[in-house]
């Protein structure tokens, strides 16, 4: 099947979620191996990730974003129950206390990536919330790809929740992309002129040995060639399911709105990568309290204003409205985390993991 056929064969409007979580040991709150916890759960939706202390939850495909969130909530409860009294799971984009590389899981894939990327792979103790969106049409999928690509800074600012690293406050709203950027193919993805160009780019890199397969196309947004979806990877994982729900419902509605703009021929053209990346830096530094530049005119606008405008545009596509997303803009979670400090934040993350 061609890539175009793959992205046409999906069910428009469906959504699936993945979130990366860390396992820690109560008391010192440092990373713990997840292998036995994943084995005890015995559910294919919960699997071990590349770092030995990280696991991933992957939901089923849903038509309704809230149903996907509720499945995620149920899976979090399974993980919390399997941890027992000595361990805890936390949803942290970066472990607030860890400095330096961590052990990788004992899998062939981890060994291969460790050999390819050396110590840098062991430094990738980073966790994101990944949202898969399907559009049932290849041209629409590519149009929405470029629409979302332009908006990666706004979405990153809204989800920023990683101010700490190595036991200190970095002064950033999210240090996660700074750590991730030690690997190639991170950050703002390239524009894609056609599905043929995308296939050629992947084939070029695999043929030459730059990477093993398309799973190493690690940009913050990518067309996923296994599922026929757009995978949004720019969002920090959120401490609570309620915060996750606010982001997921907003992103799902935003995708539907962009799809409509594509059908009407009203999507703006793809912006130059470096301009989006400039805004992306401002987003990781200042979150919603900063400013972003208009990608075409360069006019400076408050990030809060940009987000409120986007939420207004997306709201007609969100059953029940998007007041929870507005609440994230007005009371950004990173400020609560920063007030706790790096030593108190991990116990708090463990406490709220499956409760809300």
């Amino acid at each position: 099947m061609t890539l175009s056929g793959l992205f046409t064969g999906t069910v428009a409007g469906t959504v699936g979620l993945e979130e990366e979580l860390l396992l820690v040991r109560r008391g010192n709150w440092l990373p713990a191996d997840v292998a036995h916890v994943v084995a005890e759960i015995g559910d294919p939706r919960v699997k071990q990730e590349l770092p030995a202390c990280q696991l991933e939850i992957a939901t089923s495909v849903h038509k309704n974003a809230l149903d996907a969130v509720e499945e995620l909530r149920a899976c979090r409860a399974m993980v919390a129950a399997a941890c027992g009294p000595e361990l805890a799971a936390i949803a942290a984009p970066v472990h607030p206390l860890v400095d330096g590389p961590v052990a990788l899981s004992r899998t062939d894939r981890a060994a291969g990536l460790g050999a390819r990327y050396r110590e840098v792979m062991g430094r990738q103790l980073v966790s994101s919330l990944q949202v898969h969106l399907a559009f049932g049409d290849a041209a629409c999928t590519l149009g929405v790809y470029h629409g979302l690509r332009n908006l990666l800074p706004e979405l990153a600012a809204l989800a920023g929740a990683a101010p700490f690293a190595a036991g200190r406050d970095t002064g950033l709203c999210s240090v996660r992309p700074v750590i991730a950027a030690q690997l190639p193919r991170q950050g703002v993805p390239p524009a894609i002129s056609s599905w043929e160009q995308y296939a050629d780019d992947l084939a070029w890199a695999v043929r030459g040995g730059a990477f093993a397969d398309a799973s190493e196309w690690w940009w913050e947004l990518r067309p996923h060639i296994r599922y026929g979806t757009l995978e949004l990877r720019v969002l920090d994982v959120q401490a609570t399911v309620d915060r996750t729900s606010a982001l997921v419902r907003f992103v799902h509605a935003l995708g539907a709105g962009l799809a409509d703009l594509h059908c009407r021929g009203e999507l703006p053209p793809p912006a130059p990568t470096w301009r989006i990346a400039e805004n992306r830096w401002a987003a990781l530094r200042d979150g919603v309290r900063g400013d972003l530049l208009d990608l075409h005119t360069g006019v400076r606008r408050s990030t809060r204003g940009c987000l409120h405008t986007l939420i207004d545009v997306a709201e007609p596509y969100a059953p029940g409205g998007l007041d929870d997303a507005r609440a994230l803009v007005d009371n950004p979670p990173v400020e609560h985390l920063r007030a706790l400090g790096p030593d108190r934040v991990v116990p708090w993350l463990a406490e709220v993991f499956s409760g809300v």
Side-chain angles (χ1 to χ4, degrees):
M1 178 184 290
T2 64
L3 283 184
S4 179
L6 173 67
F7 286 89
T8 297
T10 57
V11 178
T14 51
V15 58
L17 308 177
E18 297 174 282
E19 71 168 1
E20 295 158 332
L21 307 168
L22 303 180
L23 198 67
V24 296
R25 193 167 300 280
R26 294 183 182 275
N28 63 15
W29 304 108
L30 294 177
D33 196 302
V34 304
H36 68 288
V37 171
V38 171
E40 180 178 333
I41 293 170
D43 190 305
R45 295 173 296 177
V46 180
K47 59 185 180 180
Q48 185 161 9
E49 260 292 350
L50 293 173
C53 61
Q54 187 180 59
L55 57 86
E56 181 181 76
I57 292 172
T59 73
S60 309
V61 177
H62 294 274
K63 184 69 175 179
N64 184 299
L66 274 178
D67 291 340
V69 170
E70 288 310 307
E71 183 181 4
L72 189 75
R73 190 189 304 270
C75 289
R76 276 200 183 196
M78 282 197 307
V79 171
C83 285
E86 295 184 355
L87 302 175
I90 61 172
V94 173
H95 193 295
L97 303 177
V98 170
D99 188 13
V102 297
L104 299 180
S105 60
R106 293 181 291 278
T107 64
D108 290 343
R109 181 166 186 264
L113 290 172
R116 186 187 303 277
Y117 298 105
R118 316 294 167 82
E119 182 181 296
V120 170
M121 184 53 65
R123 293 184 178 276
Q124 296 306 302
L125 191 57
V126 290
S127 299
S128 64
L129 167 66
Q130 299 150 25
V131 184
H132 287 260
L133 302 173
F135 299 94
D137 179 88
C140 181
T141 301
L142 203 54
V144 176
Y145 169 83
H146 290 113
L148 284 174
R149 177 176 169 272
N150 285 357
L151 298 174
L152 288 175
E154 287 89 337
L155 296 173
L158 184 63
F164 307 123
R168 64 182 183 275
D169 191 325
T170 64
L172 305 174
C173 281
S174 179
V175 71
R176 180 178 68 88
V178 177
I179 297 171
Q182 296 174 67
L183 287 173
R185 300 174 298 282
Q186 298 285 336
V188 178
I192 299 174
S193 62
S194 68
W195 290 114
E196 291 76 17
Q197 180 233 313
Y198 184 50
D200 285 347
D201 284 346
L202 293 177
W204 174 85
V206 172
R207 184 168 56 247
F211 52 74
D213 55 53
S215 68
E216 293 177 54
W217 186 273
W218 284 314
W219 307 104
E220 293 185 321
L221 174 70
R222 66 182 180 184
H224 199 293
I225 65 171
R226 179 179 176 187
Y227 302 129
T229 60
L230 289 184
E231 182 187 9
L232 183 72
R233 299 161 55 84
V234 76
L235 305 173
D236 281 359
V237 71
Q238 299 297 299
T240 70
V241 179
D242 284 352
R243 292 176 183 174
T244 301
S245 179
L247 289 173
V248 169
R249 293 178 61 254
F250 173 43
V251 167
H252 189 231
L254 185 60
L258 290 171
D260 269 3
L261 288 176
H262 166 81
C263 292
R264 299 199 299 267
E266 297 176 5
L267 277 176
T273 301
W274 82 269
R275 293 188 183 184
I276 305 172
E278 192 69 24
N279 277 347
R280 179 69 182 92
W281 169 253
L284 75 85
R285 181 188 61 203
D286 300 322
V288 302
R289 302 299 188 194
D291 297 306
L292 299 174
L293 304 184
D294 183 279
L295 292 171
H296 302 289
T297 68
V299 171
R300 184 180 297 274
R301 290 185 58 200
S302 76
T303 306
R304 293 179 72 251
C306 294
L307 280 164
H308 279 302
T309 298
L310 281 179
I311 292 169
D312 289 343
V313 169
E315 191 155 38
Y317 302 90
L322 292 173
D323 284 347
D324 50 358
R326 289 190 181 87
L328 293 183
V329 178
D330 295 332
N331 296 288
V334 68
E335 295 181 0
H336 175 236
L337 299 174
R338 179 161 271 138
L340 287 170
D343 294 321
R344 290 195 297 154
V345 73
V346 183
W348 180 82
L349 289 169
E351 178 185 351
V352 303
F353 173 72
S354 61
V356 290

